[in-house]
Amino acid sequence: MKNDNATPPPTNFIRNIIEKNLADNLYQHKKWSGKPGPEIEHAKAPEDTARIRTRFPPEPNGYLHFGHAKSIILNFNLAEDYQGRCHLRFDDTNPEKESEEYVNSIIDSVRWLGYEFQDEKENNLYFASDYFDYMYEAAVVLIKADLAYVDKQTPEEIRLNRGTLTEPGKDSPFRNQSVEDNLTLFEAMKQGKYADGEMVLRAKINMASPNINLRDPAIYRIRHVTHHNSGDKWCIYPMYTFAHPIEDALEKITHSICTLEFEDQRPFYDWVLKKLADAGFLAKPLPKQHEFSRLNLTHVVLSKRKLIQLVDEGHVHGWDDPRMPTLVGAKRRGYPPSGFKLFMDRIGVSKADSVIDYQVFEDAMREVLNHECDRRIAVLNPLKLVIHNFPENHIELCEVPNHPQDSERGSRQVKLTKELWIEKEDFEVNPPPKFFRLFPGNQVRLRYGFVIECTGYETDDQGKVIKVLCDYLPDTKSGTPGSDAVKVKGNIHWVSAQFSTSVVIRNYDRLFHSDNPNDAENFLDDINQNSIQMSEAVCEEHITQASIGDQFQFERHGYYIVDPESSTEQMIFNRTATLRDIWQK
Ligand code: ATP
Ligand code: MG
């Protein structure tokens, strides 16, 4: 389902800001050399053909989750809608927790959502670690402007002297060191002459600022570790809050969109850029940071730390377990990318913190799946039905539409035979009131086939029903003239016992019981131990033509996707969603 005609995307405060900026011609003459760099690289370049530039900047320290999807969809859609560009930038300035495996999976997931950052004109895949030389240069620019100093206080002293929310901090004894001394010390830090934590480079702003983030924040620290991209070239690394504005500026980002927890950092973001622009290292217009509220969903944890714990401690079967709120999990579960986009359109973008009901998420998925999925017939709890008056080897072909509302999807022929499988719950020996399906003496329609009348049943030694007996009414086949002469209230689905195939079904449910598992003392105590249920089902024979990743609606049951662990001998189906919300609180 493409959102290609009618409905324009719902507006939000970020769109309003962009529209105003464009109306004010704020970015009209900005330049772009074709690759990231400081002002000297862009100065002689032509004007940027992209009207705005946004970015999605994940840290490659885990797999992407549903929250990241909100940021990806927001940033890439803005670029698309305002004739701009969106960069995929790995914020890999922290050497300790990052890896290649995460980088590759993140690239795959962004593409899976339907976004591209590389084409014949531009290749906007970037690594912040490629900018380490520029960041070092930027730090030197600040030192030379007497706006940064090397502090030899211990981490403990720095912490104590930072002050509190009610008390100002105290100036470091190294704060007025000469520019020459700072340059020499910073160079020595880079040369590896000092141990981790022995000194840091700090911005010189104001130790009495009411915003603690402006009390001379650290901008470079010593870490003798190998980096996944730059190897052992560096033993000093920029702090995230210093690196991020510089990354944005080097890439000529216009709108740097992030989540609300960075609001308090915005003054420092602006400070870094302004000082570097004043010194001629960067050019105006500078990037501007805008914050929106992060996605929270009931019954879901969206923190990388917790997701890593779920995987490492074996509470789930890996990052792509269909119960995980990761994008690799969503793919395997069968949540379609267009469902994510519809969902994000519905919840909107704002600054108000909220927790969205999981049902809103699933409803968006169902809506898309209802359009996108062909129907198939599966019996999940099989009970044998024998049509007594049906000729022994006769095969009656029944025409079954692939989609009830979309005739262009065509139809297929399903074989009706003497022995069928029906759902156990479609038969009752002693029917409760308003039960319109099969019971002795009652008539129902075999969907797309004949009307049948139940004539009896057989039980095993324990009295369990093992077979239902019936007769069919020959002139009642669906789609034939006069077929509706016999009126029935029930309509049940079936598959031929002879022409069907047995498949494995994995029914998934919420991974956490409570609305907000993050509220529990230990979120692991809230895990739903019944979040996966396996069973065997019988499916119409056409299902054997399906490939991994194909999705169907099993009529009357829900949406199912062929799992990658399927083989031609054993097909495995994951339930994406039921047809309606059935979650019990
Ligand atoms: P987590 O808190 O789960 O570890 P993170 O914010 O550390 O996530 P990053 O890799 O730094 O993860 O995030 C990349 C981008 O995705 C950032 O711009 C971040 O603001 C955004 N993002 C992360 N989580 C959410 C969320 N729940 N809703 C919206 N955007 C998010
Ligand atoms: Mg982060």
Side-chain angles (χ1 to χ4, degrees):
M1 191 187 63
K2 264 190 82 190
N3 193 3
D4 42 15
N5 36 20
T7 40
T11 191
N12 57 52
F13 75 98
I14 296 178
R15 285 180 179 268
N16 295 341
I17 291 169
I18 293 175
E19 279 162 27
K20 178 162 190 324
N21 293 162
L22 291 173
D24 292 345
N25 292 327
L26 199 57
Y27 305 113
Q28 206 175 24
H29 300 297
K30 78 183 155 66
K31 301 192 168 162
W32 171 242
S33 75
K35 63 179 194 352
E39 172 54 11
I40 193 164
E41 303 285 342
H42 293 295
K44 291 185 292 296
E47 277 180 18
D48 195 352
T49 51
R51 290 171 79 212
I52 62 166
R53 283 185 188 270
T54 57
R55 85 286 173 270
F56 172 63
E59 190 179 349
N61 60 353
Y63 282 70
L64 296 183
H65 55 59
F66 295 0
H68 294 116
K70 180 173 182 183
S71 179
I72 294 169
I73 291 171
L74 175 63
N75 280 292
F76 277 90
N77 281 0
L78 287 173
E80 212 168 284
D81 293 345
Y82 294 100
Q83 296 89 51
R85 288 279 183 171
C86 182
H87 301 183
L88 173 58
R89 177 207 309 149
F90 286 99
D91 219 322
D92 59 349
T93 53
N94 177 5
E96 276 118 356
K97 300 173 293 183
E98 300 165 355
S99 88
E100 199 75 22
E101 175 197 349
Y102 295 136
V103 167
N104 293 330
S105 136
I106 290 171
I107 290 176
D108 284 351
S109 287
V110 172
R111 291 208 165 117
W112 176 74
L113 278 176
Y115 297 110
E116 190 47 73
F117 34 86
Q118 297 176 310
D119 60 29
E120 61 293 340
K121 289 210 192 85
E122 291 194 15
N123 176 358
N124 291 316
L125 173 64
Y126 302 113
F127 290 84
S129 56
D130 287 337
Y131 309 149
F132 281 153
D133 283 316
Y134 290 140
M135 289 173 189
Y136 182 80
E137 213 180 314
V140 169
V141 167
L142 292 185
I143 296 173
K144 285 184 177 161
D146 200 18
L147 291 168
Y149 61 98
V150 174
D151 195 344
K152 291 189 194 159
Q153 292 182 99
T154 62
E156 179 65 6
E157 286 167 332
I158 291 182
R159 199 178 57 75
L160 286 173
N161 289 335
R162 190 172 294 132
T164 65
L165 285 173
T166 49
E167 278 169 64
K170 283 202 221 47
D171 283 3
S172 159
F174 302 93
R175 199 172 195 266
N176 292 317
Q177 219 156 235
S178 71
V179 167
E180 288 67 37
D181 285 353
N182 284 320
L183 285 172
T184 312
L185 282 168
F186 188 48
E187 170 71 19
M189 273 170 69
K190 180 190 171 197
Q191 300 297 337
K193 303 220 166 105
Y194 298 100
D196 289 6
E198 220 175 316
M199 50 185 68
V200 288
L201 183 70
R202 296 177 76 178
K204 195 191 274 190
I205 309 179
N206 178 6
M207 288 304 292
S209 171
N211 181 343
I212 293 184
N213 297 312
L214 293 180
R215 292 182 190 170
D216 292 7
I219 60 179
Y220 254 98
R221 61 195 169 133
I222 303 171
R223 277 281 181 286
H224 289 270
V225 288
T226 306
H227 185 280
H228 82 101
N229 182 22
S230 57
D232 290 320
K233 178 172 173 195
W234 296 91
C235 63
I236 57 171
Y237 291 94
M239 302 300 286
Y240 174 82
T241 49
F242 175 65
H244 203 88
I246 296 176
E247 293 159 23
D248 285 343
L250 296 172
E251 292 177 25
K252 300 289 252 181
I253 298 302
T254 55
H255 299 82
S256 175
I257 299 161
C258 61
T259 37
L260 276 174
E261 68 272 22
F262 294 102
E263 199 166 18
D264 290 346
Q265 290 290 350
R266 180 161 19 105
F268 182 58
Y269 182 100
D270 290 337
W271 184 92
V272 169
L273 294 182
K274 178 169 188 310
K275 296 303 176 191
L276 291 173
D278 290 348
F281 183 74
L282 299 174
K284 289 177 183 166
L286 295 167
K288 280 273 179 210
Q289 176 178 306
H290 307 279
E291 309 87 15
F292 69 101
S293 64
R294 51 198 300 132
L295 172 71
N296 299 300
L297 273 178
T298 60
H299 306 287
V300 168
V301 298
L302 287 180
S303 127
K304 269 185 239 169
R305 186 182 57 78
K306 288 180 179 162
L307 296 179
I308 286 172
Q309 203 180 339
L310 287 174
V311 173
D312 286 354
E313 295 179 5
H315 302 289
V316 293
H317 308 139
W319 286 100
D320 67 347
D321 186 305
R323 293 166 296 177
M324 285 286 275
T326 51
L327 296 185
V328 286
K331 178 177 176 190
R332 194 159 169 194
R333 173 77 171 254
Y335 290 141
S338 45
F340 277 92
K341 292 174 191 172
L342 179 64
F343 171 65
M344 299 304 169
D345 266 2
R346 283 197 178 151
I347 61 169
V349 177
S350 80
K351 278 184 176 287
D353 267 320
S354 66
V355 184
I356 310 287
D357 202 309
Y358 199 75
Q359 211 179 311
V360 177
F361 174 82
E362 278 207 318
D363 281 344
M365 297 299 163
R366 284 190 189 100
E367 193 166 320
V368 165
L369 290 169
N370 181 36
H371 283 275
E372 291 183 353
C373 292
D374 274 357
R375 274 46 174 173
R376 289 290 181 270
I377 302 168
V379 172
L380 302 193
N381 264 312
L383 174 63
K384 186 64 79 61
L385 177 87
V386 179
I387 312 175
H388 183 250
N389 63 343
F390 200 84
E392 199 64 44
N393 291 316
H394 180 65
I395 297 172
E396 182 73 28
L397 295 175
C398 299
E399 203 66 31
V400 178
N402 289 328
H403 195 291
Q405 285 101 38
D406 185 357
S407 56
E408 282 183 18
R409 286 169 172 268
S411 61
R412 60 193 193 285
Q413 292 186 319
V414 173
K415 294 171 185 150
L416 192 137
T417 53
K418 187 177 178 75
E419 295 205 355
L420 305 177
W421 294 111
I422 61 167
E423 296 289 348
K424 270 200 185 92
E425 44 281 22
D426 284 343
F427 174 77
E428 290 282 351
V429 176
N430 299 304
K434 302 221 167 138
F435 185 86
F436 299 121
R437 288 164 281 162
L438 267 189
F439 54 87
N442 195 38
Q443 292 183 343
V444 298
R445 178 172 293 284
L446 290 175
R447 203 163 212 190
Y448 313 113
F450 299 97
V451 171
I452 55 170
E453 178 171 328
C454 181
T455 54
Y457 59 92
E458 288 175 13
T459 58
D460 64 8
D461 300 345
Q462 279 84 48
K464 206 178 87 183
V465 177
I466 49 166
K467 193 185 275 183
V468 178
L469 308 170
C470 70
D471 280 332
Y472 82 110
L473 281 55
D475 296 328
T476 58
K477 189 178 176 194
S478 286
T480 60
S483 63
D484 50 3
V486 181
K487 301 278 182 231
V488 292
K489 286 192 174 154
N491 186 322
I492 67 172
H493 69 274
W494 51 271
V495 297
S496 158
Q498 192 184 350
F499 300 101
S500 60
T501 179
S502 157
V503 304
V504 169
I505 295 280
R506 293 177 182 163
N507 283 336
Y508 293 102
D509 223 319
R510 312 270 201 275
L511 188 54
F512 293 96
H513 284 292
S514 63
D515 274 3
N516 193 350
N518 301 298
D519 285 348
E521 200 167 305
N522 180 355
F523 77 108
L524 298 173
D525 295 340
D526 192 37
I527 289 184
N528 172 10
Q529 300 298 342
N530 291 320
S531 57
I532 173 167
Q533 274 165 2
M534 313 258 275
S535 61
E536 287 231 351
V538 278
C539 239
E540 61 172 275
E541 56 180 345
H542 293 98
I543 206 71
T544 54
Q545 293 155 17
S547 321
I548 287 166
D550 284 353
Q551 270 177 292
F552 301 97
Q553 184 197 98
F554 286 159
E555 292 193 21
R556 292 174 71 205
H557 289 304
Y559 298 97
Y560 286 81
I561 183 167
V562 184
D563 189 79
E565 284 174 2
S566 286
S567 63
T568 37
E569 292 79 47
Q570 184 62 81
M571 294 188 85
I572 302 170
F573 281 87
N574 298 330
R575 182 171 74 195
T576 310
T578 49
L579 293 181
R580 258 162 264 97
D581 187 51
I582 53 163
W583 176 252
Q584 301 294 314
K585 285 206 171 138

